[in-house]
Amino acid sequence: MKCATQTIYAMMKQKDPYQVEFHQAVEEFLLSIDKIIEDLPHITYHKVIERMIEPERAIIFRVPWIDDEGVVQINRGYRVQMNSALGPYKGGLRFHPSVNLSIIKFLAFEQTFKNSLTGLSLGGGKGGSDFDVKGKSDGEVMRFAQSFMTELSRHIGADTDVPAGDIGVGSREIGYLFGQYKRLRNEFSGTLTGKNPLWGGSYIRPEATGYGLVYLAASILEDHHETLENKRCIVSGSGNVAQYTVEKLLHLKAVPVTLSDSTGCIIDNDGFDAEKLEFVKELKNIRRGRISAYTEKYPNATYIPANGLRGSNPIWEVEADCAFPCATQNEINAADAQHLADNKVILVAEGANMPTTLEAVDILQHNRIHYAPAKAANAGGVAVSGLEMAQNSSRIQWSPKEVDRKLLQLMKGIYREISTTAQRYSTKENLVDGANIAGFLRVASAMIDQGYV
Ligand code: NDP
Ligand code: 2IT
């Protein structure tokens, strides 16, 4: 790192020494900003970077709720309102036992630049809780969500902060959260996105992250005179993002062959089809089962249980042309990246947030694999959330076709912006630099215009 950015980075680490995920996100970002820092007016931009890595506000709260046995339970809730230079704070809520302040801060930081790349009027934020939705009854999830919203409601609003879903928060949870917000405020507003289209949601929001990811991957390949047709694809995860990534890959005649969850992965060498995908959706969204059940229904597929001691994840050893990590942070480490490179994978596009460690990114880039970082690649979800806000403000609803068309244009626009920025300030292939620099320049100039706040 250059001297100026190194100082900022060291000060941040000293302030919050245990926030390792946040350090990782900031380090990746500063390494890109290094490429332009000496060409920027010194004082203005340096001060802005210092302020960008400090959340405007971080709220931590108690979430008391009562389980089905009548026992009082307690969880911790978070909302990090990172940056409002470009619009109301915007970003999802994650319910997962691993959630802590470091994870929410890294997600809110990434979200700020991702949202800026959409070109919509969206600031950045993220929230959630260490609540585990797994194994809970609908009643328990509802009581938890109502208690969570009872506290969160005082900090959010359609023009202030607009949460949405993330890991563990899907349409069921958004429904309970919205219902409680409506009761508390006595208003029907667009304060949450990812709502059911029946009551104020946007069509294509559930599909948007996965579809957008595949649109961006297709744009990269098109730029290199390639298509996704017949490409074997590794997809990890089996939740919202993974399911709709597989769906769009199938539309474009690619051959997705894997899925996973926290217990292991399945490999179906025949490739998924619409019927198999329907089975997965029913398994994960309705029955809330484990991915291993896939091999009971389709015995030709193989199931490999997760083994934390192994040091690498077998899913990334599957022979393929493209890889779409869609589960969680740091799911591709250096050994995994080396396996992808050894197997001559040509493209890695990130559906999950920060799924690739810094060492792994280096390996992918050294091997000239097209690498699309999360900030750009998974921006389709929040982009359609932005479109949901626009529809809510004007009390209208666009058709699924209309929203999908806008999503495709948005993703093509993001690819154009990050690749031209990369070409200008770094190398054309370095989309990490392209995404970080393009995102940074827009947020920074808005902050400077607004008096460095
Ligand atoms: P879901 O809760 O729908 O699915 C998450 C999937 O990832 C599940 O298969 C889950 O397995 C797996 N997973 C989660 N945590 C872990 C873990 N610690 N180890 C192994 N597997 C894990 O979430 P989404 O699909 O919405 O989110 C997936 C990723 O995409 C996240 O990184 C999220 O931040 C990102 N993202 C989501 C967007 C959205 O609109 N939903 C938008 C942009 C990015 P299991 O079922 O066993 O827990
Ligand atoms: O990481 C993300 O971009 C999301 N979870 C979606 C955020 C949103 O506000 O739709």
Side-chain angles (χ1 to χ4, degrees):
M1 254 185 234
K2 301 243 165 78
C3 188
T5 37
Q6 178 68 50
T7 310
I8 295 172
Y9 182 65
M11 275 169 57
M12 176 217 50
K13 271 183 107 166
Q14 199 180 14
K15 255 192 198 168
D16 296 303
Y18 303 111
Q19 295 181 355
V20 289
E21 292 85 1
F22 183 58
H23 300 166
Q24 182 182 337
V26 173
E27 183 177 352
E28 183 222 86
F29 171 78
L30 290 178
L31 286 168
S32 294
I33 302 310
D34 262 355
K35 310 238 164 89
I36 54 167
I37 193 88
E38 278 162 4
D39 301 328
L40 297 170
H42 183 81
I43 299 293
T44 34
Y45 278 87
H46 288 215
K47 287 291 161 208
V48 162
I49 296 170
E50 275 175 32
R51 287 171 185 203
M52 261 177 195
I53 60 175
E54 190 66 33
E56 287 182 27
R57 199 171 295 106
I59 303 144
I60 302 184
F61 51 96
R62 171 167 79 191
V63 189
W65 58 281
I66 296 175
D67 69 18
D68 286 346
E69 272 69 56
V71 178
V72 176
Q73 300 285 348
I74 175 86
N75 283 95
R76 187 173 283 180
Y78 300 87
R79 186 71 183 167
V80 170
Q81 298 180 329
M82 197 77 196
N83 195 302
S84 61
L86 294 175
Y89 308 108
K90 179 81 195 89
L93 297 170
R94 177 177 290 192
F95 292 169
H96 193 271
S98 62
V99 162
N100 58 36
L101 187 58
S102 171
I103 288 180
I104 299 297
K105 269 178 76 177
F106 113 67
L107 288 163
F109 184 73
E110 294 275 298
Q111 194 82 47
T112 300
F113 304 103
K114 180 196 307 189
N115 293 2
S116 130
L117 289 175
T118 67
L120 303 171
S121 176
L122 301 169
K126 200 87 186 191
S129 174
D130 56 2
F131 176 76
D132 191 355
V133 285
K134 276 202 211 78
K136 302 289 191 305
S137 67
D138 282 352
E140 288 176 323
V141 172
M142 184 174 73
R143 288 194 294 280
F144 170 80
Q146 290 175 339
S147 179
F148 181 88
M149 182 51 87
T150 299
E151 178 61 31
L152 186 68
S153 65
R154 69 184 81 210
H155 305 290
I156 61 176
D159 295 315
T160 309
D161 183 353
V162 182
D166 194 81
I167 291 177
V169 179
S171 60
R172 173 183 63 169
E173 290 74 19
I174 292 292
Y176 296 152
L177 292 163
F178 180 81
Q180 182 71 352
Y181 185 81
K182 186 162 63 78
R183 286 169 79 196
L184 291 164
R185 292 293 183 96
N186 194 25
E187 68 179 39
F188 193 109
S189 70
T191 300
L192 287 154
T193 60
K195 303 184 291 298
N196 189 321
L198 186 68
W199 41 267
S202 175
Y203 288 113
I204 306 295
R205 176 61 189 89
E207 294 86 347
T209 312
Y211 279 19
L213 173 66
V214 177
Y215 290 150
L216 191 108
S219 296
I220 297 176
L221 291 180
E222 190 186 323
D223 209 8
H224 294 83
H225 315 290
E226 280 271 11
T227 70
L228 279 163
E229 197 169 333
N230 295 326
K231 296 279 189 302
R232 271 173 68 91
C233 299
I234 307 172
V235 180
S236 68
S238 50
N240 170 272
V241 180
Q243 291 169 18
Y244 288 104
T245 296
V246 167
E247 186 163 292
K248 186 51 72 179
L249 285 171
L250 291 175
H251 292 170
L252 299 187
K253 301 192 168 49
V255 188
V257 291
T258 68
L259 281 168
S260 68
D261 65 16
S262 51
T263 58
C265 68
I266 51 129
I267 304 161
D268 184 339
N269 279 316
D270 301 334
F272 300 123
D273 57 23
E275 184 210 296
K276 292 173 177 176
L277 177 60
E278 218 32 62
F279 172 80
V280 172
K281 285 185 184 171
E282 204 261 341
L283 171 70
K284 297 307 282 188
N285 307 349
I286 305 198
R287 284 196 279 144
R288 298 184 186 273
R290 306 280 75 209
I291 198 67
S292 54
Y294 184 90
T295 49
E296 291 157 25
K297 170 90 175 164
Y298 301 103
N300 281 349
T302 313
Y303 170 66
I304 308 180
N307 177 359
L309 301 175
R310 198 169 174 272
S312 67
N313 184 339
I315 198 171
W316 309 117
E317 291 178 46
V318 173
E319 284 194 17
D321 305 297
C322 303
F324 297 88
C326 296
T328 193
Q329 64 272 3
N330 292 330
E331 56 172 314
I332 300 181
N333 64 21
D336 298 318
Q338 195 55 55
H339 287 138
L340 290 167
D342 293 346
N343 282 339
K344 309 252 175 302
V345 162
I346 60 167
L347 174 140
V348 175
E350 297 183 332
N353 285 306
M354 204 169 77
T356 314
T357 65
L358 291 173
E359 299 74 26
V361 174
D362 269 351
I363 293 170
L364 299 179
Q365 290 183 327
H366 268 106
N367 284 278
R368 309 184 75 75
I369 294 173
H370 302 303
Y371 168 66
K375 271 185 202 84
N378 72 30
V382 75
V384 174
S385 278
L387 301 182
E388 183 170 329
M389 289 163 71
Q391 292 169 80
N392 290 165
S393 300
S394 45
R395 303 247 186 259
I396 56 169
Q397 190 173 47
W398 297 321
S399 68
K401 216 167 145 195
E402 176 73 1
V403 180
D404 196 20
R405 193 182 60 76
K406 288 186 193 314
L407 171 64
L408 176 62
Q409 291 315 316
L410 265 153
M411 297 313 296
K412 284 185 168 174
I414 290 175
Y415 176 62
R416 252 194 322 273
E417 177 161 12
I418 63 171
S419 56
T420 51
T421 306
Q423 193 159 27
R424 178 155 176 213
Y425 296 107
S426 175
T427 57
K428 181 164 193 268
E429 295 303 312
N430 195 333
L431 299 179
V432 178
D433 286 343
N436 283 329
I437 295 171
F440 166 76
L441 288 174
R442 196 171 286 155
V443 177
S445 62
M447 287 174 76
I448 292 167
D449 288 349
Q450 293 169 24
Y452 305 89
V453 291

